[in-house]
Amino acid sequence: MIDRWAPMRLLTDYTPANNDVMGWISWLKWLYANADWAYGAAHANGGLQLQSWAETQNTIEVWRGDVKFRSEHPTLVFSGRQFLNAGDGYTALEYYGADGAWHTIETDATRGSLRFFGGTTERTYNASGWALPSHGVLEVRWMIYGTSGGWAQMYRAYMTGWVGLTTWPTLPTFSNTVHPASDFNKLVTALEYLRECAKRPNLGSETFVGTHTQDGSYEPIGRWCWRQGGAKRLYVWLAVTDCQPGEHVYVFLEPDTYHPDTGPGRLNGGLPVVDISGDNPGQGFNIDLTSYGCTVGQRYAVEVGILKNIRLGGPVVTVGAVTLGDLGGVTRTYAPLAEYPYGSQPDAAAFNRLKNDIDQMYPAADRESPLWYEHPLASWRTPDTMGPLDRFHWRDKRYRIRHRGRFLEVRTRGGAKIVSADRTNETTIADSKGDPLTVDTESIPWLGSAFGQDYTVESYGTNEVLVAYEEYE
Amino acid sequence: MRADPGNVLNNAFAAGAVPVGKVEVDWARNGSWTDISAYVDVSEPGAITWQCMVLDPNQGLTGWGQAPMAQASVTLDNRDNTFSESVSGSPAYQYGLYGLPIRISAGYMDGATPRYVPVCTGTVVDRPADSERDRTLTLASRSGARFRRRKATTVMHRGNQTSTWIARLAMEAGITDTALETGLLIIPYAHINDEYVLDEMARAAASEGGMVWFDAEEKLRFANAAHWVARSPVVTYTPERMYDIQTQARWTNLYSRVTVTYQPRRSERDTVVYSVGENLSVPPGGSVEHVAEFRWPLDTWTGVEIVAASAGGEDLSGYISLDPASPVGAKRWAMTITNTHPTQRAYISKLDVYGKPLSGRPSASISRETAGADEEREWEVGDNWNLQTPAQAEYVAELLSRLLRGSAPNRPRPLYVLPNVQGNPLLEPLDVLAVTYAPLGLSAAEMILLGYSGRFGGGAYDMDLYLADAAGIYAFDRAGFFRPGVSALGTGRMWI
């Protein structure tokens, strides 16, 4: 998040001894400024969490993710679905400990049936007692073990909880009468709460070139998930080559726990929201999520997939961007209408408007612009074999990040490159040997203050980026 | 204005009122006052003088925020050597004169009862000119002087209101008697590093255009810039003759623009802020003193890493302890390093202190036109560590632009002196007075009392009052500004 938060103080009821007054430059102006800041954070343009899946006959890593552990949000939430073959297979959710070993969080050895991991849509774990490495990054992975194999798909993974942080106040209704200082202070408290909500990582969407070789069928090549908030535009950039008649590249919207057999089913009556039926040199698609019934608070995924004929080869899709943003006519019902400089007389309507504006950012499904405080884990890139494109291989994987945090957290093997979205600037970063590495973006002249601009973190040659996301501190 | 013990205000404007004065000292520095008025030759005009200003008249209105210390002077009869430090048996011999608490009070007879009001309390700082064995002795005192040389070191204090930080500094300096108005702004990061507390208080006050000073009872006071909101004139003066009011048009108060520079601070990630430069050597079972001065001030301290070994390479790290165990300063750590090993001297090759340092971000400035001068004259406010936010800079710029504005361009805000008015010990700096003097077009004109000088002796008690014309500082009725808990929404006006 861009660090422009203005300090605010709490008022006290006036006495001749304390001489407290409410001023514009000295107080009210910064509440408006911080409300604007919080609104921007609630409508953050940003990357989505990659949902990965895998199928094996023995052992495979289905998904891995990183998040900087913070004691204020100690609860890990995980969701995935699995089908294990009969035999000895089981899934295991694990975290990497300070002792350099993987520790089991939970296992599920139920075989022969399609089910959620652990038997419920979501599993929650208290991570506050886990001994983590000194760098403070919680690394979690989901494995299929054994020799009988199966299939698994990760749906969501994030940290939540609210420990030791500000309590949301009961906001008053203002009238043109005398109010105690405590009423005005609730606006300050609510804004501090929202600031704490905004302290979360900034993910980059994983983009790539992909295809599949499953003749005569549709196969997804990528899924990305999010929790619906105030940002109601999904932007997907795709380029397609070698798309022959009868072949399609589809984009679907679906609940994040979508499954074709058990449901929940896709949005839009199961029809794609984007249908590319021929070669396309590159096109951005702005998808109005409200027109497909996406509701605030619910979790969704966007799926890109290919319908391929029976033939050698097939359509090759370049996913260039998958981001959330605002629609052109975004609504901010209680956006500030006026300033209240020295000598002005703001009335109850002005304060109620400010109060309502702040209230609409409280993280709840019935708000216009909820500032979700969950910390999604940044999914590791699934292995990029650099080999021929087929069903299980991708190429040119990159993390595309909308720059707004100072610190870039990466893991690399050999090294990686940071490249501006227009490809005119690039900086090489070091080999972290798979360990977390922090890059202060202020040390990169072309990137440091370029907030709001996209850049990618990508592999080059035999050097590989494993994960990349931004942190605010 | 201060509380009236009985008809003092009436007598201050009454012809024929009988003034009274009193001088007391606290020989034992234990709060027990001894009346030494008998040693004051009150037949002499100006036997007792004092001055209390919150603004140095020589510096003009641009000195806002930096109050000089109140001072007093008392001439005493020393024929019995009471005030002779070299004469055995005298209180001065027993207790000394330097730093002697001294309190001057003035007032009027209220019928048969003398009513005293303290006008200057301080400590003796000088004994100019006179030999202590002379017949008379003059003592000079200053308010707050006992705290003048007090230094302090603190850890970083975050997000304090100005008044909270001043209160903290007062505690560090041992100042227990305070009356602080609410600080209207926040100082994001505040600390003091072995510096004079009073200087840091002045900087803190100046960062929001407020004022710190010691009042007549040596109480530490802080007034915010909205001090005069809802305050009415406490007295009205009606000079009769031209000698009774002097105007001072200080062209040094003429400016066309005020520019305030601030420098934001930012807390960085953990880094090593101090590494020991050379091997420290601690004897077996012994201790050494060491001061670690950090490269950057610490927002938060994270830890310390110590490596110690004997001359033969035995790891003695576990035998090393530090006291205090964590830094008490944001920029320094004075520690006692102890080696508890009974036989081996410990050589400390590594003592790394790490934490989140504070970095300074690029400075920025905010300007306001004052319309005070036709020509380009800029008053620059800066070089104040506590100016860290655009809010502070904008506020101070707006405030000073109003203060430095006169009735028209090239006409500075009028300053006045009312010389030789009958003494009124109830007046305090920053009181609002009303002045009526038709030849100058003043009709109940509101003035801010910047300070006063007082004289007692020769049967008289009078004062010079230093005033600043308040006209035009506020564009609105002062009582109408928004006071939380008092003003109604829709009616109360926004302060700056």
Side-chain angles (χ1 to χ4, degrees):
Chain A
M1 62 187 191
I2 299 167
D3 187 11
R4 291 290 186 271
W5 187 263
M8 301 176 292
R9 71 175 179 96
L10 297 175
L11 301 176
T12 49
D13 289 324
Y14 169 88
T15 66
N18 69 31
N19 218 58
D20 203 345
V21 293
M22 182 194 293
W24 172 244
I25 296 173
S26 51
W27 194 78
L28 185 57
K29 176 177 180 175
W30 309 106
L31 270 68
Y32 279 103
N34 287 341
D36 287 343
W37 184 97
Y39 182 82
H43 286 250
N45 287 340
L48 311 184
Q49 184 181 51
L50 183 79
Q51 294 179 323
S52 58
W53 63 94
E55 195 173 335
T56 184
Q57 291 304 313
N58 38 63
T59 295
I60 198 167
E61 178 178 297
V62 180
W63 168 85
R64 193 187 299 206
D66 268 15
V67 70
K68 206 165 194 66
F69 179 79
R70 289 192 159 82
S71 57
E72 306 89 75
H73 310 291
T75 304
L76 169 66
V77 175
F78 179 82
S79 175
R81 206 191 295 262
Q82 64 185 54
F83 182 95
L84 295 175
N85 301 324
D88 64 353
Y90 64 97
T91 55
L93 192 66
E94 302 170 331
Y95 74 91
Y96 193 76
D99 57 0
W102 287 97
H103 296 256
T104 301
I105 302 171
E106 186 175 6
T107 62
D108 186 338
T110 305
R111 305 179 188 96
S113 64
L114 183 68
R115 65 187 251 114
F116 283 105
F117 174 72
T120 57
T121 308
E122 265 185 0
R123 308 296 290 167
T124 61
Y125 313 95
N126 183 357
S128 57
W130 299 350
L132 300 180
S134 59
H135 51 61
V137 174
L138 171 62
E139 183 184 350
V140 178
R141 72 179 184 182
W142 194 32
M143 302 288 294
I144 298 177
Y145 285 115
T147 61
S148 51
W151 167 92
Q153 153 115 42
M154 165 269 182
Y155 288 136
R156 62 179 86 132
Y158 59 88
M159 304 301 293
T160 190
W162 194 261
V163 177
L165 295 173
T166 304
T167 302
W168 181 259
T170 302
L171 295 175
T173 297
F174 294 97
S175 58
N176 285 327
T177 57
V178 175
H179 284 265
S182 57
D183 278 356
F184 301 107
N185 290 339
K186 285 171 183 168
L187 301 179
V188 174
T189 303
L191 282 168
E192 292 289 357
Y193 179 99
L194 293 179
R195 185 191 188 196
E196 288 165 351
C197 290
K199 291 182 175 181
R200 55 193 181 176
N202 175 27
L203 299 192
S205 290
E206 190 172 322
T207 62
F208 49 76
V209 178
T211 188
H212 75 84
T213 57
Q214 197 74 359
D215 281 343
S217 71
Y218 168 85
E219 291 286 342
I221 60 169
R223 289 198 180 99
W224 300 259
C225 65
W226 74 95
R227 187 179 188 188
Q228 185 61 45
K232 296 182 168 61
R233 176 177 62 86
L234 178 67
Y235 176 78
V236 181
W237 190 97
L238 302 172
V240 181
T241 58
D242 197 18
C243 185
Q244 295 188 356
E247 295 179 328
H248 294 262
V249 173
Y250 292 132
V251 177
F252 291 99
L253 290 178
E254 54 210 26
D256 72 328
T257 57
Y258 163 78
H259 191 278
D261 298 334
T262 65
R266 290 185 172 125
L267 276 58
N268 197 32
L271 298 173
V273 299
V274 173
D275 179 354
I276 302 173
S277 56
D279 285 1
N280 189 316
Q283 183 175 354
F285 298 90
N286 287 296
I287 301 165
D288 178 350
L289 295 171
T290 60
S291 64
Y292 296 103
C294 289
T295 55
V296 173
Q298 299 303 307
R299 299 180 187 275
Y300 298 97
V302 57
E303 174 182 311
V304 176
I306 299 170
L307 173 64
K308 174 180 143 27
N309 291 336
I310 299 172
R311 68 175 177 98
L312 281 177
V316 175
V317 177
T318 300
V319 181
V322 183
T323 55
L324 278 177
D326 278 340
L327 291 170
V330 65
T331 300
R332 184 179 173 185
T333 303
Y334 302 103
L337 295 178
E339 294 190 340
Y340 296 96
Y342 172 75
S344 62
Q345 296 165 290
D347 58 7
F351 276 89
N352 283 325
R353 190 176 182 91
L354 175 61
K355 174 207 69 178
N356 288 332
D357 190 41
I358 293 169
D359 187 58
Q360 286 303 315
M361 292 181 257
Y362 177 76
D366 62 346
R367 302 307 207 272
E368 207 170 76
S369 299
L371 223 177
W372 307 120
Y373 57 79
E374 296 149 3
H375 290 212
L377 276 71
S379 298
W380 280 42
R381 286 181 31 184
T382 50
D384 185 336
T385 64
M386 312 296 182
L389 296 174
D390 61 19
R391 183 181 176 191
F392 298 111
H393 292 85
W394 295 259
R395 198 184 70 206
D396 297 343
K397 288 186 175 180
R398 300 168 182 163
Y399 286 93
R400 187 180 180 100
I401 299 174
R402 177 67 51 88
H403 183 41
R404 66 172 192 270
R406 180 180 166 192
F407 297 103
L408 175 64
E409 307 287 343
V410 295
R411 294 184 194 247
T412 69
R413 282 209 186 95
K417 280 189 178 178
I418 303 172
V419 186
S420 60
D422 62 6
R423 315 298 293 177
T424 58
N425 292 292
E426 68 174 51
T427 297
T428 303
I429 53 179
D431 176 13
S432 77
K433 297 181 171 36
D435 289 331
L437 170 70
T438 300
V439 177
D440 186 343
T441 60
E442 290 187 353
S443 67
I444 302 172
W446 61 264
L447 178 60
S449 57
F451 293 118
Q453 304 303 309
D454 282 5
Y455 66 98
T456 58
V457 185
E458 54 192 70
S459 305
Y460 69 100
T462 57
N463 305 304
E464 195 178 3
V465 60
L466 303 175
V467 69
Y469 58 99
E470 285 186 345
E471 274 287 356
Y472 54 90
E473 66 180 13
Chain B
M1 195 164 74
R2 299 159 63 216
D4 191 338
N7 277 315
V8 170
L9 182 59
N10 290 334
N11 281 310
F13 288 89
V18 178
V20 294
K22 182 163 63 173
V23 180
E24 301 164 282
V25 295
D26 177 3
W27 286 115
R29 281 81 162 164
N30 61 2
S32 175
W33 293 95
T34 302
D35 190 339
I36 61 167
S37 303
Y39 292 90
V40 181
D41 184 359
V42 296
S43 68
E44 288 291 321
I48 310 171
T49 64
W50 61 93
Q51 184 181 62
C52 183
M53 308 289 294
V54 290
L55 199 66
D56 185 340
N58 295 321
Q59 194 165 358
L61 294 173
T62 54
W64 203 261
Q66 303 159 36
M69 283 183 171
Q71 52 192 302
S73 171
V74 180
T75 302
L76 301 163
D77 181 344
N78 193 34
R79 281 175 292 181
D80 68 358
N81 289 311
T82 293
F83 305 100
S84 298
E85 289 178 298
S86 64
V87 175
S88 173
S90 75
Y93 175 87
Q94 181 177 359
Y95 297 108
L97 288 180
Y98 183 79
L100 175 68
I102 183 166
R103 180 169 67 192
I104 297 162
S105 305
Y108 294 91
M109 293 298 293
D110 179 19
T113 306
R115 304 291 189 190
Y116 296 105
V117 180
V119 294
C120 193
T121 305
T123 54
V124 173
V125 297
D126 202 1
R127 188 181 58 196
D130 305 301
S131 163
E132 64 166 19
R133 291 217 184 224
D134 276 358
R135 183 168 172 273
T136 62
L137 180 75
T138 300
L139 297 180
S141 67
R142 286 222 167 86
S143 289
R146 76 182 82 194
F147 309 111
R148 183 161 52 99
R149 297 200 184 281
R150 297 213 179 154
K151 292 185 173 184
T153 296
T154 68
V155 293
M156 195 66 67
H157 289 257
R158 289 169 223 89
N160 280 177
Q161 287 174 243
T162 311
S163 48
T164 306
W165 177 231
I166 293 173
R168 175 71 203 193
L169 292 169
M171 198 171 77
E172 292 288 337
I175 303 171
T176 55
D177 197 6
T178 65
L180 309 180
E181 293 180 1
T182 298
L184 299 181
L185 294 172
I186 297 277
I187 302 174
Y189 297 97
H191 81 285
I192 187 170
N193 183 42
D194 195 33
E195 296 161 280
Y196 294 113
V197 172
L198 295 190
D199 290 345
E200 174 59 17
M201 281 186 187
R203 283 191 291 268
S207 73
E208 67 160 72
M211 194 76 72
V212 173
W213 80 100
F214 286 96
D215 71 6
E217 294 178 88
E218 209 174 30
K219 183 192 299 272
L220 178 73
R221 304 280 293 273
F222 167 69
N224 63 39
H227 178 78
W228 300 280
V229 164
R231 287 183 206 272
S232 304
V234 295
V235 292
T236 299
Y237 283 95
T238 309
E240 292 179 358
R241 306 162 300 172
M242 57 182 288
Y243 323 108
D244 296 330
I245 180 166
Q246 301 166 2
T247 58
Q248 296 183 329
R250 289 186 178 270
W251 294 346
T252 51
N253 287 335
L254 280 175
Y255 292 94
S256 61
R257 184 167 58 246
V258 175
T259 297
V260 181
T261 300
Y262 66 98
Q263 185 183 28
R265 304 299 198 278
R266 184 175 71 186
S267 184
E268 304 290 346
R269 283 195 168 184
D270 272 3
T271 192
V272 175
V273 297
Y274 172 81
S275 294
V276 68
E278 58 185 29
N279 287 357
L280 291 174
S281 161
V282 189
S287 300
V288 297
E289 304 296 317
H290 182 70
V291 177
E293 300 270 6
F294 306 152
R295 280 194 282 275
W296 308 279
L298 271 182
D299 178 18
T300 53
W301 173 74
T302 304
V304 60
E305 193 175 342
I306 300 173
V307 173
S310 70
E314 180 181 344
D315 182 7
L316 301 181
S317 304
Y319 294 91
I320 301 298
S321 65
L322 306 181
D323 180 39
S326 60
V328 295
K331 220 164 169 249
R332 68 195 340 246
W333 186 358
M335 61 183 81
T336 302
I337 305 174
T338 300
N339 171 18
T340 57
H341 196 285
T343 59
Q344 293 277 16
R345 177 174 282 265
Y347 298 91
I348 298 175
S349 55
K350 183 175 189 179
L351 198 159
D352 283 356
V353 180
Y354 54 98
K356 292 181 169 43
L358 209 61
S359 70
R361 309 304 296 147
S363 298
S365 296
I366 289 178
S367 291
R368 285 287 184 275
E369 303 295 317
T370 68
D374 278 347
E375 63 182 30
E376 183 76 14
R377 284 193 77 211
E378 183 179 30
W379 176 248
E380 293 180 86
V381 178
D383 197 25
N384 184 340
W385 145 276
N386 293 306
L387 280 169
Q388 300 173 18
T389 67
Q392 292 169 301
E394 206 174 327
Y395 183 81
V396 173
E398 182 71 28
L399 200 66
L400 283 179
S401 74
R402 294 186 173 278
L403 203 60
L404 295 174
R405 196 173 299 162
S407 58
N410 301 322
R411 285 173 179 71
R413 177 165 300 283
L415 302 177
Y416 298 95
V417 181
L418 297 183
N420 303 312
V421 300
Q422 191 161 321
N424 181 354
L426 303 177
L427 289 177
E428 287 193 302
L430 304 184
D431 277 344
V432 179
L433 278 56
V435 176
T436 295
Y437 186 66
L440 289 178
L442 301 174
S443 175
E446 293 190 344
M447 306 272 175
I448 297 169
L449 180 63
L450 301 180
Y452 52 77
S453 55
R455 294 167 294 276
F456 187 93
Y461 166 30
D462 52 39
M463 302 169 69
D464 302 333
L465 303 180
Y466 298 86
L467 307 169
D469 192 339
I473 293 179
Y474 305 95
F476 308 96
D477 172 24
R478 284 183 291 108
F481 288 113
F482 197 99
R483 290 172 280 161
V486 173
S487 306
L489 284 174
T491 305
R493 292 188 184 278
M494 285 290 102
W495 171 245
I496 296 174

